[in-house]
Amino acid sequence: MKHIIRKPILPLILICAVLFGSCFLSFYQKNMQEGYRQIDRLYEDTRLTFELLNPTDGMELELLPLTADRVAELEPIQQSCRVMECPYRFDEEIGGILYGTDNFSLMAEHYGLRVKGSEVLEFHSWQVLDCLMERGRMEKLGLSIGESFTLYPFDGISNGPAFTMQIIGTFDDPNGMLSEGAIVVSDYAFLSAPKEPKLLFNSNMMYFCYCRAFFFRIDPIYNREYETVQALVEDTLNAPQDFSVFTNARALEEAVKPLERKLNLQEMLDLPLQILFSAAVVIVAILLSLSLRNEIFLHLMWGEKRAKVFFKMLLSVLPMFFVAGALAWCLKSLDLRLIGAGVAACALTLIVPCGKNLVRAYGDRED
C-alpha cells in the first residue's frame, strides 16, 4: 500500500486554535468569576452606617426614644445607638455636656473616641450613675478612675438636683466630635424607672428625653438592598419629611458600580466570544477534513469499505484534539465545547466524501 504523507500545517493550526481558544475562554470566565467574588466581598465586608438627621435643624435630632426603639427592632438592623444630651455643671465656672447612650461601643466607633480600658465597653455592667469622663476634664478636676464626684444637671433655666457619679473609665476625643469636657453615661440615667435616681427630675428638663443623635448599622446580608432598608426606616418613623436617613453607601456604590459595568460588558461579550472561537475551530477542522479527500479516494479505490474509511480518517484526526486537550488541561484551561465542536465538524465533513459514489469522487478529485 502506498504511504501517504500529510502536510503538518493544518493539524498544527487546529491544535493552536483549540489551545488558544480554550485558554482565552478559560481566562475570560475566571476573570468574570473573580469579578463576581469581588463584588460579593465588597457587599459582605462593607459596614454600612446610617444616621438620622433633621433637615430643619441640622444640629439636633428630636426623636423620641420609643420611636428609636421601633427602628432598632427592624429585622435588617444589626446595631443601633441613640445619644441624648443634657448640660451639666460642677460649679459656676466648670460645666459641659452629659451624653447618654444605649450602645457606647458603637458610639465610640462612630465618633472616633479612644477609650482607656476595654472593660468599659461592656455596657451591660454599667450602673445607672457610672460614667466615662473626657481625659482632659478629668485631669483638670484632679480626679482619677474609680473616684466619685458630684454634678448638677441643668437646662439653662432651673437647676436640677445634685448627683454623685463614679468614673469607671476615660476617653479622648481626637476628632472633636463631642463638646469639651464631655461625660458619657448610660441612657438609663436619662430614662430610669420611677424609683431610681433620675437626671430628668423636673418638667423643664423633659426636653432632654429626645434623642440628639441616632445611628445604626444593618446586617451585611441587606447591603444590596440598603435603599429598601432606608425606605423601611422612613416608613417606621412615619415622618419622612421631618427626618432624613444619611448613609455611607455612596462609597460602596462608587466601588461596586464600575465592577458591575465591567461584568455587564463581559456578560454581553461572553457568548459572541464562545461562538467566535468555536467557529474558528470548526473552520480549521473542516479544512483539515477536506484535505483528506484524496486520501479517502485512494482508500476507496483500494476496495476498503466506506465505514472503515470513515472511522480510519476520523481516528487519524482525533489525536490532534487529544493533544490540544491535554495541553489545555495542563494549563487548567480545558474547554470541551471547542473540542466537541471540532470533532463534530470533522465527522460531518468526512461523511460526504466517504459516502460519495466512486466515479463521482474521482471526478471531484480531477476537478
Side-chain angles (χ1 to χ4, degrees):
M1 182 179 292
K2 182 179 177 182
H3 183 68
I4 300 174
I5 300 176
R6 297 175 181 170
K7 294 181 180 180
I9 296 178
L10 283 174
L12 287 176
I13 293 176
L14 179 61
I15 293 174
C16 291
V18 174
L19 183 60
F20 179 77
S22 296
C23 291
F24 185 90
L25 291 177
S26 175
F27 172 79
Y28 194 82
Q29 292 291 334
K30 289 177 181 177
N31 187 264
M32 289 179 60
Q33 292 170 5
E34 179 58 31
Y36 287 122
R37 285 193 292 268
Q38 190 174 356
I39 290 177
D40 290 339
R41 285 195 297 268
L42 284 172
Y43 276 118
E44 291 170 3
D45 298 342
T46 302
R47 306 186 72 179
L48 293 185
T49 299
F50 295 76
E51 186 171 4
L52 287 184
L53 296 177
N54 188 342
T56 60
D57 185 351
M59 299 299 295
E60 296 177 340
L61 176 72
E62 296 185 8
L63 180 67
L64 287 173
L66 291 178
T67 307
D69 288 342
R70 284 200 299 271
V71 174
E73 290 171 0
L74 294 174
E75 182 180 349
I77 308 301
Q78 190 176 60
Q79 285 182 299
S80 66
C81 178
R82 64 188 182 196
V83 180
M84 292 171 284
E85 300 175 9
C86 177
Y88 76 86
R89 63 180 177 85
F90 289 101
D91 51 37
E92 294 182 356
E93 297 182 357
I94 300 178
I97 298 294
L98 197 67
Y99 293 87
T101 179
D102 62 336
N103 189 336
F104 177 71
S105 178
L106 186 55
M107 176 184 176
E109 184 178 344
H110 187 78
Y111 289 135
L113 307 180
R114 297 176 182 171
V115 185
K116 180 179 179 182
S118 59
E119 66 278 357
V120 301
L121 297 178
E122 298 297 329
F123 210 76
H124 61 272
S125 64
W126 288 26
Q127 302 299 316
V128 172
L129 296 182
D130 286 345
C131 72
L132 297 176
M133 183 177 288
E134 191 265 327
R135 185 171 59 85
R137 177 54 54 89
M138 189 175 70
E139 293 175 352
K140 182 177 181 179
L141 295 173
L143 299 173
S144 60
I145 295 176
E147 289 191 89
S148 298
F149 63 95
T150 301
L151 59 73
Y152 304 87
F154 74 104
D155 60 0
I157 301 175
S158 61
N159 296 340
F163 290 97
T164 300
M165 310 195 75
Q166 183 178 15
I167 303 174
I168 63 170
T170 183
F171 65 89
D172 290 310
D173 182 16
N175 300 322
M177 299 296 289
L178 305 182
S179 65
E180 183 181 359
I183 296 176
V184 179
V185 299
S186 165
D187 65 341
Y188 289 120
F190 286 75
L191 306 170
S192 57
K195 294 183 180 179
E196 296 177 345
K198 274 191 172 184
L199 296 182
L200 308 178
F201 186 77
N202 56 44
S203 59
N204 289 327
M205 295 182 63
M206 290 304 293
Y207 175 73
F208 300 106
C209 280
Y210 290 97
C211 297
R212 317 306 287 171
F214 182 76
F215 41 89
F216 58 90
R217 284 203 183 106
I218 64 173
D219 191 316
I221 65 174
Y222 290 94
N223 279 359
R224 295 177 186 268
E225 295 83 31
Y226 70 89
E227 292 180 343
T228 303
V229 176
Q230 184 170 330
L232 185 62
V233 171
E234 291 178 345
D235 289 342
T236 305
L237 293 172
N238 292 323
Q241 71 278 7
D242 295 330
F243 298 105
S244 297
V245 184
F246 289 84
T247 176
N248 63 345
R250 180 67 180 272
L252 178 62
E253 280 187 355
E254 292 176 350
V256 168
K257 292 303 181 184
L259 291 175
E260 289 183 338
R261 286 195 294 268
K262 176 186 173 184
L263 282 173
N264 289 335
L265 179 60
Q266 287 179 318
E267 288 176 351
M268 291 173 58
L269 294 176
D270 186 32
L271 183 58
L273 286 173
Q274 292 181 36
I275 295 174
L276 177 64
F277 283 105
S278 297
V281 171
V282 167
I283 291 173
V284 178
I286 291 175
L287 293 175
L288 178 61
S289 300
L290 292 175
S291 69
L292 300 177
R293 286 183 301 175
N294 290 342
E295 188 174 343
I296 293 172
F297 171 74
L298 290 176
H299 283 287
L300 293 176
M301 287 289 294
W302 292 331
E304 294 186 29
K305 293 183 178 180
R306 299 179 188 277
K308 182 180 179 181
V309 174
F310 170 77
F311 285 110
K312 183 184 290 186
M313 294 297 102
L314 184 61
L315 290 175
S316 69
V317 174
L318 289 180
M320 303 166 200
F321 292 101
F322 291 145
V323 171
L327 292 174
W329 181 79
C330 291
L331 296 174
K332 298 181 180 180
S333 303
L334 181 60
D335 194 322
L336 295 177
R337 293 171 298 182
L338 295 183
I339 296 176
V343 171
C346 286
L348 293 174
T349 308
L350 290 172
I351 287 176
V352 177
C354 289
K356 275 188 177 182
N357 182 276
L358 195 56
V359 176
R360 255 184 99 179
Y362 179 78
D364 292 342
R365 179 174 177 272
E366 289 298 320
D367 293 339

